[in-house]
Amino acid sequence: MDKATDKENFTSNPEDERYMRMALREAEKAFEEKEIPIGCVIVKDGVVIGRGHNQIEMLKDATAHAEILSIGTASGKLENWRLEGATLYVTLEPCPMCAGAILNSRISRVVYGSPDTRFGGCGTTIDVITNNALKRDVEVVGGVLADECLGLLKAFFQRMRLEKGDSGAKS
């Protein structure tokens, strides 16, 4: 079975669901800030060492994805850019940029919620992680709390469409 669609790995792993719920809380922060609601936490040895959510609009920075910000936080906390043995939990499958950062930071495992059929870099659209040129082994598990993660994204875009329609009607 394809790694990106292997739903059996997470159903028996309550730890994955626990940390994905933390990532969802980060995504909710992004939602409230009118950012695309993607959240991320990084865990090593049972301790959250990094967390973040999209801040592209706030920081006016195309690279301010939840994963990139979380990697920066985790590296700062460990005072080391090498995050070997860490697991990254993110509500939406990482894009190719974030997948590259995951490889470069040497994260060992990626667990994502909803697959990204447009920009997914962990096997859905393109696979930056598996058989990578850096010869890094990264385990990828997709679909953890996928319905909740996707539901938050859908609610966000629906809200944005409504607000755009409302502001257009008032003009």
Side-chain angles (χ1 to χ4, degrees):
M1 187 180 286
D2 180 38
K3 286 184 196 178
T5 58
D6 185 355
K7 298 195 184 254
E8 292 183 25
N9 281 347
F10 71 87
T11 54
S12 62
N13 190 338
E15 287 297 297
D16 284 350
E17 288 189 16
R18 175 177 168 233
Y19 292 119
M20 187 60 72
R21 289 201 187 286
M22 289 181 188
L24 273 163
R25 284 194 288 280
E26 287 295 319
E28 289 165 357
K29 292 177 187 177
F31 187 103
E32 294 306 315
E33 295 169 5
K34 295 188 177 182
E35 298 275 357
I36 295 175
I38 300 169
C40 180
V41 296
I42 300 176
V43 178
K44 184 171 181 177
D45 300 324
V47 176
V48 175
I49 58 171
R51 65 178 68 230
H53 57 275
N54 274 7
Q55 294 185 13
I56 296 165
E57 300 298 333
M58 181 177 14
L59 298 176
K60 311 263 186 279
D61 180 354
T63 67
H65 290 202
E67 300 95 322
I68 301 292
L69 297 173
S70 297
I71 289 169
T73 302
S75 296
K77 184 163 188 164
L78 295 182
E79 297 182 354
N80 191 341
W81 60 269
R82 293 174 190 89
L83 302 177
E84 292 155 329
T87 298
L88 181 143
Y89 294 88
V90 64
T91 56
L92 183 68
E93 178 182 359
C95 71
M97 174 184 70
C98 293
I102 289 164
L103 288 175
N104 284 329
S105 64
R106 300 184 180 172
I107 287 172
S108 300
R109 187 167 181 257
V110 174
V111 179
Y112 67 84
S114 179
D116 186 344
T117 58
R118 291 181 64 206
F119 304 111
C122 293
T124 298
T125 303
I126 187 171
D127 194 345
V128 175
I129 299 286
T130 307
N131 298 322
N132 61 77
L134 300 174
K135 307 284 188 228
R136 304 231 197 290
D137 286 328
V138 180
E139 179 186 354
V140 176
V141 177
V144 176
L145 302 180
D147 291 341
E148 291 177 51
C149 294
L150 183 59
L152 187 60
L153 284 163
K154 286 181 176 182
F156 173 79
F157 287 112
Q158 182 179 15
R159 182 177 92 171
M160 291 295 105
R161 282 189 298 275
L162 287 172
E163 287 181 8
K164 195 173 201 173
D166 286 346
S167 66
K170 293 177 185 176
S171 298

